Amino acid sequence: MNKPGDNKENVWKEYIRRDAIQQSDEELESLLLQDDVSLEAYITALTSLEHELPNLLDQKRFTDKVMKSLPIDELGPKVSSLPKWPRKWSRHPLFHYVIAASVTVILMSCGLFDFLTFGAEQVIHQTDRPSISQQLLDKTSGWIDKLKP
C-alpha cells in the first residue's frame, strides 16, 4: 500500500473531496499524525483545492457551535471555580511580611542592632581630620575667594 506522503497528492485530494479512496480514514489520519511528508502533501493538496472548497457564511456561529459541542471535562476547570485565596496560607505574601516584621522586632528587642552599630561609631569618630567632602568644600571656597577681585 502506498503512503500518501510519497508524492501521492491525488490521494489527499480524494480524501479532502471525500471521493472514493482506497485507504480508510483512520489510516490516513494516523499517517497525518505520524509522517511529516504526508502532512506536507496534505497541506499542499488542501492549498491547491482551496478555490473548490465552500466558504463559511457565518464563521462566528460555526465557532460557537463547535465550542458548545465540546465536552466540558476536556476544557479544564472553569476560571470562576478557582479559589480566590491560595490554598496554602503559608505561601501568601502577607504571611511572609508578618514573619519578617516579627523577626525584626525580636532582634531589636534583644539589642542585636546596637552591637552592629557599636563598631561603626568607633571607626567614624576615630579620626580628627576633616572629612574628604569638607576638604573639597574648603579648597573650592578658597579657590573661589582667590578669583574674587
Side-chain angles (χ1 to χ4, degrees):
M1 185 178 287
N2 290 338
K3 279 186 173 182
D6 298 337
N7 207 5
K8 299 284 185 177
E9 193 174 319
N10 291 334
V11 174
W12 289 115
K13 285 183 179 181
E14 290 174 0
Y15 175 74
I16 293 168
R17 288 184 188 134
R18 304 306 296 162
D19 293 340
I21 52 177
Q22 297 173 356
Q23 294 173 320
S24 70
D25 288 346
E26 291 84 20
E27 291 176 16
L28 293 174
E29 289 168 3
S30 68
L31 197 57
L32 282 175
L33 293 173
Q34 296 170 358
D35 189 21
D36 291 337
V37 177
S38 298
L39 183 61
E40 288 177 21
Y42 173 76
I43 292 172
T44 305
L46 191 62
T47 307
S48 67
L49 292 176
E50 187 174 4
H51 63 281
E52 294 178 23
L53 298 175
N55 291 328
L56 284 176
L57 299 177
D58 190 5
Q59 291 182 2
K60 183 172 177 10
R61 195 177 100 211
F62 174 74
T63 305
D64 292 341
K65 188 176 179 181
V66 169
M67 293 303 289
K68 287 179 184 177
S69 69
L70 292 175
I72 294 175
D73 295 341
E74 291 180 12
L75 294 177
K78 293 182 180 178
V79 177
S80 61
S81 67
L82 292 175
K84 296 190 188 226
W85 189 264
R87 289 186 182 178
K88 295 207 175 218
W89 55 270
S90 63
R91 291 184 178 232
H92 197 275
L94 184 61
F95 175 75
H96 294 280
Y97 287 123
V98 168
I99 295 294
S102 302
V103 169
T104 305
V105 168
I106 291 171
L107 293 176
M108 284 178 65
S109 65
C110 292
L112 181 69
F113 294 122
D114 292 336
F115 290 120
L116 292 175
T117 59
F118 178 70
E121 287 178 6
Q122 290 179 349
V123 171
I124 291 173
H125 297 297
Q126 196 174 34
T127 61
D128 291 334
R129 297 186 326 179
S131 67
I132 295 174
S133 59
Q134 184 64 40
Q135 290 175 6
L136 286 173
L137 183 64
D138 292 340
K139 286 184 181 184
T140 305
S141 62
W143 180 68
I144 292 174
D145 288 341
K146 287 180 186 178
L147 288 177
K148 286 184 181 178

